[in-house]
Amino acid sequence: MPTILSHTIDIQAPADRVWAVLTDTAAYPTWNPFMTRLEGDLVVGARLAVTVVPPGGKPNNFSPTVTEVEPGRRLAWLGRLLATWIFAGAHSFEVRPLGPGATRFTQSERFSGLLVPLLRSTLRSTEAGFAAMNTALAERAETGVRH
């Protein structure tokens, strides 16, 4: 049975600024406590190199494939362990304008495959990682910090 994790935050910054922070992946090591590395082209079909560090956990490296890019609105990828029936994670980021200067940002992932029941405790720390990343993204977008 699939497991879906999601975290949403309202950010007091325009959607284009939130998108700019999200897609400036080279800066992730300077501000992102959860996704400390994201390398590769954000285009459909591209393979990425990603490192996540769940709160209290060890770094985990994986190479998902970008499945959707709607500039300014949505970015998604699919990661898997050997085959999707063993373990897969469909990850997405959504940027929704709430008006001028306000944005709703949602990060979610749908986990599926035979290993999901065995990884439930790990997935809980992943959800906490989403919250930490979303909060850091909000702070960066709201302050307009650029490195």
Side-chain angles (χ1 to χ4, degrees):
M1 174 161 265
T3 296
I4 298 172
L5 305 179
S6 183
H7 185 270
T8 298
I9 190 168
D10 289 346
I11 301 172
Q12 299 308 306
D16 62 339
R17 186 179 311 153
V18 173
W19 183 259
V21 172
L22 177 67
T23 57
D24 181 9
T25 59
Y28 275 26
T30 66
W31 67 267
N32 194 331
F34 174 64
M35 201 168 294
T36 58
R37 178 178 68 116
L38 195 162
E39 297 173 353
D41 296 326
L42 300 179
V43 297
V44 173
R47 294 281 294 209
L48 303 174
V50 179
T51 301
V52 295
V53 184
K58 295 182 180 184
N60 181 23
N61 299 306
F62 61 101
S63 300
T65 300
V66 177
T67 56
E68 188 177 349
V69 179
E70 185 181 341
R73 302 287 183 166
R74 182 173 165 80
L75 171 63
W77 66 60
L78 179 66
R80 63 178 158 254
L81 179 62
L82 299 176
T84 55
W85 61 271
I86 295 174
F87 184 79
H91 198 102
S92 67
F93 303 98
E94 293 188 20
V95 176
R96 300 268 183 236
L98 295 176
T103 304
R104 179 159 293 148
F105 179 77
T106 301
Q107 179 174 188
S108 63
E109 189 152 5
R110 180 183 186 274
F111 295 97
S112 60
L114 293 176
L115 294 181
V116 169
L118 302 174
L119 298 172
R120 291 221 190 268
S121 64
T122 301
L123 298 181
R124 277 190 218 96
S125 67
T126 298
E127 192 167 26
F130 287 5
M133 176 179 167
N134 289 8
T135 298
L137 182 137
E139 290 171 0
R140 190 166 179 90
E142 289 172 355
T143 61
V145 172
R146 299 281 187 257
H147 286 280

